[in-house]
Amino acid sequence: MKVTAFIRETSAKNNITDQAHVYFRVRDGKTDIKAVSELSINPNHWSAERQGYKTRVALVAEAKRTAFDKAVQDLTALISAQYYHGADSRWLKGVIEEFHHSNINIRQGRKGDEYSLVYQCQQYAENHPMEKESIRHHEHNVRKLQHFERFQREIMRRRGYTMRLDAITADDLREFHKYLVNEAEYYEHYPQIFDDIEERFKPRQLTENSINTIFRRIRTVVNWCLKHNITTNDPFATFEMPKVLDSPPFYLTLEERDKVYYADLSNETPSTQVYRDIFMFHCLIGCRVGDLEKMTRANIVDGAVEYIAEKTKNHKPRTIRVPLNDKAKAILAKYADLETRLLPKINQNIYNRQIKKILKLLGIDRMVTVIDNKTREPIQKPICDIATSHTARKTFIGNLYKKVKDSNLVASLSGHTDGSRAFARYREIDNEMKRELVKLID
């Protein structure tokens, strides 16, 4: 793609009063579009080669020549940055008008900057009903997009590059994917791009699964913009999303869970004992950790925990009711003196560390298969090294499913919708279940 400036008029050799408007032309394969700008110059002073004033021009102040040349360069850069395959003369005219008169092309009362992807991601996070964790994820995506745009402008020399909703293409998304894959390396080589973040928040190597999650959230924002007529451009229509590769499901067996439940941890710190209780209660009700954090005494109704999952409360809300067994009731009895909370307050990072510590302390180190983040190949790791708070939810779901083998019944306790693809990640069709299936045709 090439952008050039040109004029159409000519003047007599010594004429210094005539003025000619500067046109801009975009050529890209079969695309050849033109539009006029408000920039003007005496035809005798124009240099097609320099795309501005000739080197020596008498009677024209240097400041005027410099300002004109810069305007031509800036407008050329802006057109290049916002160009997309399929753009037409109407689009080019709009870009030039915006250059001369900011926000002249307001649509439905919206300013021009509202058509940037970053802006709409910010608006979606600020105004769309969602849990705090989801808001943080969208804000995280905004920072990724902002650093990507800076990288394109400052390192790749794409002047004025911005991901505008009307101009984003599948190629832009592929460039963003490439950037995310290499962001941790770019942080080391181009620190000026990341001068707005602290060292402790520096980019880390992302897995394809993590990158897929980033793109899914961005796609949600784009779909929202399409639905509300903010844009008609869908760059995801021809973009192949990063592939998700899930590790085989792993969770604690009932024997391992009970080993943790009954373990004597009196020699450990009080904090470790508390987090053991939280982890065990978590394994017994199977909610998401965000829902566990919010539970109070009011969530106990007629011997059961009742709650509406934060993740789905704004679009498919339903009450989840999980009866408490004797183990769960015994744990709650330990913390009966808490005023309103069900259990002591959780720090998620400490919670995950304590889970690993407890399992390792008790020798629960069974090898399980997981997918390596870098090679995407299956590897073996001790369960104590990779267990997290989500292991509690998987332990609840996996063991229930092995007992009843009814996905709908288990989903009613876990909060998954009927036929949920996510639910399949928690199920394990183990050898025992396979043997029972084969017996059916014996």
Side-chain angles (χ1 to χ4, degrees), residues 211-224:
I211 294 175
N212 171 273
T213 301
I214 290 173
F215 274 102
R216 281 194 292 107
R217 291 195 173 97
I218 293 175
R219 185 175 61 186
T220 296
V221 175
V222 171
N223 287 339
W224 187 86

Side-chain angles (χ1 to χ4, degrees), residues 6-23 38-48 50-61 64-65 68-69 72:
F6 67 96
I7 61 173
R8 285 177 168 169
E9 292 87 354
T10 59
S11 293
K13 184 175 181 181
N14 295 320
N15 186 307
I16 60 173
T17 59
D18 285 353
Q19 293 289 304
H21 281 291
V22 179
Y23 285 75
E38 296 180 20
L39 300 174
S40 61
I41 187 173
N42 181 273
N44 290 317
H45 297 163
W46 174 257
S47 169
R50 296 188 72 248
Q51 295 282 278
Y53 272 96
K54 292 178 179 177
T55 305
R56 298 177 182 275
V57 178
L59 304 178
V60 178
K64 181 178 179 180
R65 297 198 307 269
F68 177 86
D69 290 349
V72 173

Side-chain angles (χ1 to χ4, degrees), residues 110-258:
R110 298 187 179 97
K111 297 179 180 179
D113 60 359
E114 294 183 24
Y115 291 92
S116 76
L117 179 59
V118 165
Y119 178 88
Q120 289 301 334
C121 286
Q122 290 171 327
Q123 291 299 300
Y124 189 87
E126 291 174 8
N127 302 312
H128 200 79
M130 66 180 80
E131 58 181 315
K132 290 182 180 179
E133 187 66 20
S134 293
I135 293 175
R136 286 195 291 268
H137 287 315
H138 280 281
E139 292 172 343
H140 175 75
N141 284 1
V142 165
R143 290 191 292 273
K144 295 287 187 189
L145 289 168
Q146 288 173 328
H147 289 140
F148 169 68
E149 290 179 341
R150 287 190 66 181
F151 177 81
Q152 291 298 316
R153 292 192 296 265
E154 299 180 26
I155 306 304
M156 304 306 292
R157 303 301 182 190
R158 298 176 69 179
R159 291 184 184 180
Y161 181 86
T162 303
M163 295 186 80
R164 290 179 62 84
L165 288 169
D166 287 346
I168 301 172
T169 67
D171 286 337
D172 288 306
L173 297 180
R174 282 187 278 270
E175 283 295 319
F176 184 47
H177 178 272
K178 180 181 177 181
Y179 167 83
L180 292 174
V181 170
N182 298 289
E183 187 181 39
E185 182 179 342
Y186 293 150
Y187 177 83
E188 301 299 331
H189 291 294
Y190 311 111
Q192 69 273 24
I193 302 299
F194 307 92
D195 58 8
D196 58 337
I197 62 174
E198 299 179 30
E199 171 73 17
R200 61 195 177 112
F201 295 125
K202 69 179 184 179
R204 58 181 177 82
Q205 183 68 47
L206 296 175
T207 66
E208 280 293 285
N209 287 5
S210 297
I211 294 175
N212 171 273
T213 301
I214 290 173
F215 274 102
R216 281 194 292 107
R217 291 195 173 97
I218 293 175
R219 185 175 61 186
T220 296
V221 175
V222 171
N223 287 339
W224 187 86
C225 291
L226 288 166
K227 180 179 179 181
H228 290 82
N229 299 317
I230 297 173
T231 186
T232 58
N233 176 44
D234 182 8
F236 285 93
T238 55
F239 174 70
E240 184 177 352
M241 293 284 283
K243 301 296 183 185
V244 174
L245 191 60
D246 289 317
S247 297
F250 66 86
Y251 48 85
L252 300 183
T253 65
L254 292 179
E255 292 74 21
E256 290 169 334
R257 184 205 67 187
D258 286 349

Side-chain angles (χ1 to χ4, degrees), residues 250-252 279 282-283 352 355 359 383 386-397:
F250 66 86
Y251 48 85
L252 300 183
F279 181 48
H282 200 175
C283 287
N352 287 329
I355 290 170
L359 296 185
I383 193 171
I386 56 176
T388 65
S389 61
H390 204 60
T391 304
R393 181 163 166 80
K394 291 191 287 186
T395 296
F396 175 81
I397 296 169

Side-chain angles (χ1 to χ4, degrees), residues 165-407:
L165 288 169
D166 287 346
I168 301 172
T169 67
D171 286 337
D172 288 306
L173 297 180
R174 282 187 278 270
E175 283 295 319
F176 184 47
H177 178 272
K178 180 181 177 181
Y179 167 83
L180 292 174
V181 170
N182 298 289
E183 187 181 39
E185 182 179 342
Y186 293 150
Y187 177 83
E188 301 299 331
H189 291 294
Y190 311 111
Q192 69 273 24
I193 302 299
F194 307 92
D195 58 8
D196 58 337
I197 62 174
E198 299 179 30
E199 171 73 17
R200 61 195 177 112
F201 295 125
K202 69 179 184 179
R204 58 181 177 82
Q205 183 68 47
L206 296 175
T207 66
E208 280 293 285
N209 287 5
S210 297
I211 294 175
N212 171 273
T213 301
I214 290 173
F215 274 102
R216 281 194 292 107
R217 291 195 173 97
I218 293 175
R219 185 175 61 186
T220 296
V221 175
V222 171
N223 287 339
W224 187 86
C225 291
L226 288 166
K227 180 179 179 181
H228 290 82
N229 299 317
I230 297 173
T231 186
T232 58
N233 176 44
D234 182 8
F236 285 93
T238 55
F239 174 70
E240 184 177 352
M241 293 284 283
K243 301 296 183 185
V244 174
L245 191 60
D246 289 317
S247 297
F250 66 86
Y251 48 85
L252 300 183
T253 65
L254 292 179
E255 292 74 21
E256 290 169 334
R257 184 205 67 187
D258 286 349
K259 186 174 183 179
V260 176
Y261 183 90
Y262 291 111
D264 182 1
L265 299 180
S266 57
N267 291 329
E268 300 300 317
T269 63
S271 174
T272 297
Q273 296 175 52
V274 169
Y275 275 108
R276 185 269 303 273
D277 292 340
I278 294 171
F279 181 48
M280 287 295 96
F281 186 79
H282 200 175
C283 287
L284 293 167
I285 65 170
C287 63
R288 296 177 180 88
V289 67
D291 294 317
L292 181 66
E293 286 183 296
K294 297 179 177 66
M295 287 184 181
T296 68
R297 293 285 166 182
N299 289 104
I300 306 299
V301 180
D302 294 332
V305 168
E306 285 192 2
Y307 67 99
I308 297 176
E310 187 74 21
K311 185 176 181 179
T312 58
K313 73 177 184 180
N314 292 311
H315 51 94
K316 290 183 180 179
R318 64 172 178 170
T319 300
I320 303 165
R321 178 179 171 83
V322 182
L324 298 174
N325 62 19
D326 290 341
K327 288 185 174 69
K329 291 176 180 177
I331 292 172
L332 292 184
K334 289 185 181 182
Y335 302 98
D337 57 339
L338 294 178
E339 291 185 6
T340 57
R341 295 187 61 84
L342 205 59
L343 294 166
K345 190 174 178 62
I346 298 171
N347 178 300
Q348 287 197 33
N349 290 329
I350 295 175
Y351 186 24
N352 287 329
R353 289 199 297 269
Q354 287 283 8
I355 290 170
K356 292 177 174 66
K357 172 186 173 181
I358 292 167
L359 296 185
K360 188 171 292 187
L361 179 69
L362 299 177
I364 301 176
D365 54 4
R366 170 171 52 88
M367 302 298 285
V368 295
T369 301
V370 295
I371 302 300
D372 184 87
N373 288 339
K374 294 182 179 180
T375 66
R376 294 175 69 79
E377 295 292 329
I379 58 174
Q380 296 285 313
K381 284 192 174 184
I383 193 171
C384 58
D385 289 351
I386 56 176
T388 65
S389 61
H390 204 60
T391 304
R393 181 163 166 80
K394 291 191 287 186
T395 296
F396 175 81
I397 296 169
N399 283 300
L400 275 180
Y401 188 76
K402 288 176 71 172
K403 292 290 186 182
V404 301
K405 303 175 182 62
D406 184 333
S407 58

Side-chain angles (χ1 to χ4, degrees), residues 94-108:
V95 173
I96 294 173
E97 287 176 340
E98 283 283 348
F99 177 82
H100 292 299
H101 308 283
S102 180
N103 298 326
I104 193 174
N105 294 313
I106 290 177
R107 287 173 289 175
Q108 299 179 6

